[in-house]
Amino acid sequence: MGPRGASERTGGTAGGGSMGELSTYEIAFLCGGPRRVAQTALLALVEGRRVRVSRAHRVEAVRAKPDAPAQAAPDDPLQAALLERVPGTGTMLGPLLAAVAETPELQEIAAALRERGLLRGAARPTRKGKAARRGLAEPPLTTDLARLAALGPEAVEDARMREILGTDDPKPIKLPRTRHRGDNLEASNLSDSQYNGY
């Protein structure tokens, strides 16, 4: 799509056929619902080096140096809303995408689709919306953002991001419970003289 910024590519219209009438976020909503829109905003931030996502699905904001202030909010309102929900310590991908899917910024995208007669209710495409959706995969999709929006995570060429976006968060590791807990020092079975220096 040329040298335009990620916010212009997502919030603006995507070129080619029926895609030219819809923004990348509108395409993502029509083809995959609110979660797909949130994924598209996240991928735009990853490509813009505003956030990084580990294979363990941890999302962190990128800073020039560890003690540097966060970068200015992106011009794209949805990307700004996503970035706002990434604390300094980072967060897990699944809950982040779920939170972004509920933001007013994302709900505005749904409202725009309803106004155009492409969506009814919270997220159900109308007959007109389904017809538009069928044509969205036909134009050449030249970027990962366009492929993600129209076809889903499995169409992303970047193998690492395809795997991350296409899988659920890993389950937390449960550490085995021990008989003695750290907050009960009396139960440690250690001799007091071992540490009293005498």
Side-chain angles (χ1 to χ4, degrees):
M1 282 197 186
R4 291 182 294 173
S7 63
E8 192 178 343
R9 289 181 309 209
T10 50
T13 57
S18 59
M19 283 186 77
E21 300 167 12
L22 297 169
S23 75
T24 306
Y25 289 149
E26 289 170 330
I27 291 165
F29 201 110
L30 214 49
C31 294
R35 182 179 173 89
R36 178 87 56 85
V37 181
Q39 289 175 324
T40 304
L42 176 80
L43 183 59
L45 287 168
V46 169
E47 289 184 350
R49 294 188 167 89
R50 303 298 300 267
V51 299
R52 62 177 155 254
V53 188
S54 73
R55 286 192 186 276
H57 287 211
R58 189 133 193 99
V59 182
E60 295 178 341
V62 175
R63 300 178 190 273
K65 296 178 184 172
D67 57 347
Q71 299 177 50
D75 293 335
D76 180 300
L78 188 60
Q79 290 175 36
L82 188 154
L83 204 51
E84 195 175 279
R85 285 161 176 76
V86 179
T89 55
T91 188
M92 290 303 290
L93 177 60
L96 174 63
L97 294 176
V100 172
E102 299 294 325
T103 60
E105 291 83 1
L106 197 143
Q107 297 311 313
E108 285 178 19
I109 296 162
L113 289 169
R114 278 193 291 273
E115 281 178 24
R116 296 171 68 173
L118 298 172
L119 203 67
R120 77 165 62 87
R124 289 179 55 210
T126 61
R127 183 176 295 170
K128 182 180 172 185
K130 288 176 183 174
R133 186 172 63 187
R134 281 192 292 274
L136 293 174
E138 292 172 10
L141 302 171
T142 57
T143 68
D144 270 348
L145 280 176
R147 284 187 286 272
L148 173 61
L151 304 173
E154 60 279 1
V156 173
E157 284 190 354
D158 180 320
R160 186 174 167 280
M161 285 307 298
R162 181 174 63 242
E163 179 189 339
I164 290 168
L165 292 170
T167 56
D168 292 332
D169 288 352
K171 289 191 170 33
I173 297 170
K174 289 189 177 180
L175 298 175
R177 293 186 66 120
T178 57
R179 208 173 115 229
H180 304 297
R181 299 187 65 89
D183 55 353
N184 185 0
L185 298 178
E186 295 297 320
S188 68
N189 293 334
L190 295 175
S191 163
D192 287 343
S193 63
Q194 191 170 350
Y195 295 102
N196 66 12
Y198 290 101

